[in-house]
Amino acid sequence: MGPGRARNASLADGEFLDVALSTVRTEERKGYIERLEAFVEEHRARLEELLRAYGPGSRPAEFGRYALIGQPDTLVILERMETNPFGLRAQWEKELETVLLDDLEFAWGPRIRLRR
């Protein structure tokens, strides 16, 4: 589908999660749930701050931005953003509009910026 033809998915259809999970490499699949739980524990304070600052009811969210924040799928997306950022960005660009990923990447803060 290429970046110019990527489509915008709705939050309810599970496509964001599908794209994120598609970047879990074969060797990462065994034990992935445990690694995701460890990611949440390791980043709990950062996740709470993200939710407070950009989640539902926040000032930025009032303007329709940061729609992924507060969604359960976002934990997988953030874990992938930390673990396989280039794979996530490449797959997302093939399948979805990037604005929601861009917003999430901005709100999560720098580890690595992938926007071109």
Side-chain angles (χ1 to χ4, degrees), residues 32-78:
Y32 181 71
I33 297 297
E34 291 79 13
R35 280 195 297 285
L36 186 59
E37 289 170 346
F39 172 83
V40 171
E41 286 305 312
E42 179 183 345
H43 296 284
R44 182 170 301 282
R46 191 174 176 192
L47 290 164
E48 289 171 354
E49 179 56 30
L50 177 74
L51 191 57
R52 244 187 323 279
Y54 295 96
S58 70
R59 184 114 173 113
E62 290 176 11
F63 300 101
R65 303 292 302 260
Y66 310 104
L68 286 174
I69 298 172
Q71 301 296 317
D73 300 358
T74 302
L75 295 174
V76 174
I77 297 167
L78 290 171

Side-chain angles (χ1 to χ4, degrees), residues 5-100:
R5 296 176 36 210
R7 62 193 157 65
N8 196 1
S10 77
L11 290 176
D13 66 15
E15 288 184 84
F16 300 108
L17 181 60
D18 291 345
V19 168
L21 287 173
S22 74
T23 69
V24 176
R25 296 176 289 251
T26 304
E27 63 273 13
E28 295 177 304
R29 290 184 184 152
K30 185 176 182 182
Y32 181 71
I33 297 297
E34 291 79 13
R35 280 195 297 285
L36 186 59
E37 289 170 346
F39 172 83
V40 171
E41 286 305 312
E42 179 183 345
H43 296 284
R44 182 170 301 282
R46 191 174 176 192
L47 290 164
E48 289 171 354
E49 179 56 30
L50 177 74
L51 191 57
R52 244 187 323 279
Y54 295 96
S58 70
R59 184 114 173 113
E62 290 176 11
F63 300 101
R65 303 292 302 260
Y66 310 104
L68 286 174
I69 298 172
Q71 301 296 317
D73 300 358
T74 302
L75 295 174
V76 174
I77 297 167
L78 290 171
E79 185 277 332
R80 295 284 81 199
M81 196 179 291
E82 288 287 312
T83 305
N84 187 2
F86 296 106
L88 176 64
R89 171 63 64 175
Q91 192 64 32
W92 199 288
E93 287 178 350
K94 286 182 198 171
E95 299 189 33
L96 300 167
E97 293 291 333
T98 61
V99 68
L100 292 176

